Amino acid sequence: MSEFRIASLGQPQYKSPLKLSTVKGDNIFDFIYDSDRLVFDLSIDQYHHCLKTGKEPSCLEKAGPRQNIFFDSKHTTAAIVTCGGLCPGINNVIRGVVMGLHYFYGVKKILGVPYGYEGLNPDKGHGFVELTPDKVKDIHQFGGTFLGSSRGGQDVSVMVDTLEANQIDMLFAIGGDGTLKGVDAIGEEIQKRNAKISVVGIPKTIDNDIDLIDESFGFETAFDVASPILRDAHNEATGAFNGVSIVKLMGRDSGFIAASAALAMPVVNFVLVPEMDFDLEGEKGFLKALEQRLKQKRHAVIVVAEGAGQHLFQKKSGVKDASGNVKHQDIGIFLKERIAEHFKDASITIKYIDPSYIIRSAPANSSDSVYCSRLAYHAVHGAMAGKTRFVSSKVNNKFVYVPIAEVTKKRKKIDMEGEFWFSVLQSTGQPFSWR
């Protein structure tokens, strides 16, 4: 289907330096062809629909090395930029891209763009950092970003001017929704100029809210790091009569971290996420449920995503950050104050914990490290083949290329009628709603 068609800079004209196979059964990995495509919707309903209508199902292009590549490796310059908030695994991706370009394809000139898209604006004076295997060989052991980051866009024309002035052939942008929209705009401007520069997105968002893809890197580490924090919060809650621990986790528009952390450490009694509406007051409200919990067990652990409960604030926040995201009001502090007020005549101890910046700056765990390397390698293969304006990602547990425009149409959210959220409810014992 056309909606998943990957744009190309032109006909690949160079033979790949990778010594791979075109023969099945010889125990050597085979080159991937553009005709190797994977069905997007695997449901039986979609299967019967295609049989009935005779329409071809929507398919995604399989990621991997191509036999013919677009760029001459010896004369190729690549650049890497990291944007937005910190997230576990950024350095792993940087390292993977550098190692892949250098050792797989022999690309010797790789530039790091400091401090996000600011680094592509000469007026900011950041310059470039030359990246070599020796420079990046150990950065995967640390959290944060080796290149630095920033929020907010720069003038697209200026950024493309910078790419052209420095004869950069491909730009790898590591970031979330705003970063991906930004690099797609760069790709659009490049296309208008008929320039031959590939732009590639590697989806990074700790909230796991990139649409269509299975998972964004760093997300698994996030709830992995959060799990022992929830364990300790439980210890705090049980250490006092009517002890209540409130843990606020990241999740501006989607509550995947809060929900997954609660499943991973099943000592949580209440999970509040942005996808749900709930009342505080009333017989069916959250505070009444908390009352009942304390009567029964004399302690409670509450996990709340940062974007949850914004409907409870009388004055809506109209302030936006540099990335254009609405700055949410602090639901964690709000809950702490409302719970304290509600139980003011009772003996209650409240502990409030916000580990957000500790979690997002942690190094990637083993699982995320594997994922980051594989995303990076597939991004390199796609760029070298001359593909552009795509993300390297995993869909239906297969590595594929997806057009950036498709994954940025909307944010991925928890399906409140889905099995995942039902699992959270089964783990916590909380009702389907507090309305």
Side-chain angles (χ1 to χ4, degrees):
M1 292 286 284
S2 59
E3 69 263 27
F4 291 139
R5 190 71 60 193
I6 303 300
S8 174
L9 297 176
Q11 189 67 30
Q13 53 187 325
Y14 299 99
K15 290 292 182 186
S16 171
L18 301 180
K19 306 300 181 184
L20 301 180
S21 175
T22 58
V23 179
K24 297 289 184 185
D26 61 359
N27 294 326
I28 300 173
F29 187 77
D30 293 343
F31 283 111
I32 303 298
Y33 296 93
D34 287 351
S35 57
D36 292 335
R37 300 176 71 78
L38 301 168
V39 175
F40 173 64
D41 187 343
L42 303 180
S43 70
I44 192 68
D45 288 344
Q46 181 63 19
Y47 171 73
H48 286 307
H49 174 74
C50 291
L51 283 181
K52 183 178 179 180
T53 61
K55 290 183 179 179
E56 187 175 311
S58 296
C59 293
L60 297 162
E61 194 171 302
K62 194 174 180 181
R66 268 51 177 178
Q67 189 171 14
N68 295 312
I69 57 177
F70 183 80
F71 293 104
D72 180 0
S73 306
K74 301 187 189 73
H75 305 290
T76 296
T77 299
I80 305 171
V81 63
T82 63
C83 308
L86 297 184
C87 175
I90 298 175
N91 284 337
N92 300 67
V93 176
I94 296 171
R95 184 186 190 278
V97 171
V98 172
M99 296 301 188
L101 287 167
H102 183 94
Y103 289 113
F104 302 167
Y105 291 99
V107 174
K108 296 298 187 288
K109 191 170 183 182
I110 307 168
L111 303 176
V113 181
Y115 303 112
Y117 287 139
E118 282 188 8
L120 292 175
N121 183 349
D123 291 344
K124 298 293 182 180
H126 297 317
F128 291 119
V129 178
E130 192 158 341
L131 301 177
T132 63
D134 192 55
K135 239 177 208 177
V136 303
K137 62 184 173 65
D138 296 321
I139 64 173
H140 63 290
Q141 299 181 50
F142 304 95
T145 165
F146 175 75
L147 295 174
S149 185
S150 67
R151 290 191 183 276
Q154 301 294 318
D155 185 280
V156 173
S157 295
V158 170
M159 291 193 287
V160 176
D161 288 344
T162 301
L163 295 176
E164 290 187 318
N166 289 274
Q167 298 181 315
I168 292 170
D169 300 295
M170 56 185 68
L171 174 67
F172 297 89
I174 304 168
D177 183 76
T179 303
L180 296 178
K181 287 177 178 175
V183 79
D184 200 39
I186 290 172
E188 186 177 10
E189 177 65 19
I190 288 168
Q191 185 178 347
K192 287 177 183 175
R193 300 186 187 192
N194 200 29
K196 301 301 180 184
I197 304 172
S198 169
V199 294
V200 183
I202 303 173
K204 172 233 75 177
T205 165
I206 201 169
D207 293 350
N208 195 37
D209 59 359
I210 299 291
D211 197 31
L212 301 182
I213 70 173
D214 290 355
E215 195 173 283
S216 50
F217 77 81
F219 163 66
E220 190 169 309
T221 300
F223 71 81
D224 186 21
V225 175
S227 293
I229 296 171
L230 298 188
R231 177 200 61 208
D232 296 342
H234 177 257
N235 293 339
E236 285 286 351
T238 56
F241 178 78
N242 282 346
V244 177
S245 287
I246 304 169
V247 183
K248 187 179 80 169
L249 297 177
M250 301 186 84
R252 181 187 293 112
D253 299 300
S254 306
F256 288 105
I257 294 179
S260 298
L263 279 173
M265 184 58 66
V267 296
V268 178
N269 310 115
F270 303 102
V271 178
L272 308 176
V273 294
E275 292 87 342
M276 65 191 294
D277 288 327
F278 60 94
D279 294 331
L280 280 183
E281 311 292 344
E283 283 302 310
K284 295 183 178 180
F286 169 74
L287 292 173
K288 180 60 72 174
L290 180 57
E291 269 184 42
Q292 294 169 349
R293 167 71 193 182
L294 292 179
K295 282 179 184 177
Q296 293 170 358
K297 299 293 185 179
R298 294 304 176 190
H299 73 276
V301 178
I302 304 164
V303 172
V304 57
E306 62 178 311
Q310 294 301 302
H311 62 284
L312 300 173
F313 293 91
Q314 291 183 348
K315 186 178 180 182
K316 304 300 180 186
S317 172
V319 180
K320 294 186 178 182
D321 64 19
S323 298
N325 302 305
V326 174
K327 284 189 175 182
H328 288 318
Q329 299 187 68
D330 197 324
I331 184 62
I333 296 294
F334 177 84
L335 270 183
K336 179 185 176 183
E337 292 174 349
R338 290 296 294 272
I339 290 171
E341 180 185 343
H342 183 81
F343 290 94
K344 63 176 181 286
D345 296 327
S347 175
I348 187 170
T349 301
I350 304 174
K351 299 295 173 62
Y352 175 61
I353 304 164
D354 181 357
S356 299
Y357 291 105
I358 295 171
I359 292 171
R360 76 176 201 166
S361 60
N365 66 13
S366 297
S367 180
D368 254 330
S369 294
V370 171
Y371 188 36
C372 289
S373 293
R374 296 178 76 183
L375 285 175
Y377 299 157
H378 285 302
V380 167
H381 294 315
M384 289 301 300
K387 300 180 186 301
T388 188
R389 298 177 71 180
F390 71 92
V391 294
S392 168
S393 55
K394 191 159 67 169
V395 177
N396 297 327
N397 208 33
K398 301 290 184 183
F399 285 92
V400 294
Y401 299 139
V402 186
I404 293 174
E406 291 301 316
V407 300
T408 55
K409 283 183 176 178
K410 61 185 178 72
R411 297 286 180 93
K412 181 169 70 174
K413 293 180 178 291
I414 296 175
D415 178 3
M416 302 306 282
E417 294 186 19
E419 186 276 334
F420 172 68
W421 181 245
F422 182 49
S423 294
V424 175
L425 300 185
Q426 291 177 101
S427 178
T428 61
Q430 71 189 62
F432 285 99
S433 69
W434 291 298
R435 300 307 295 262

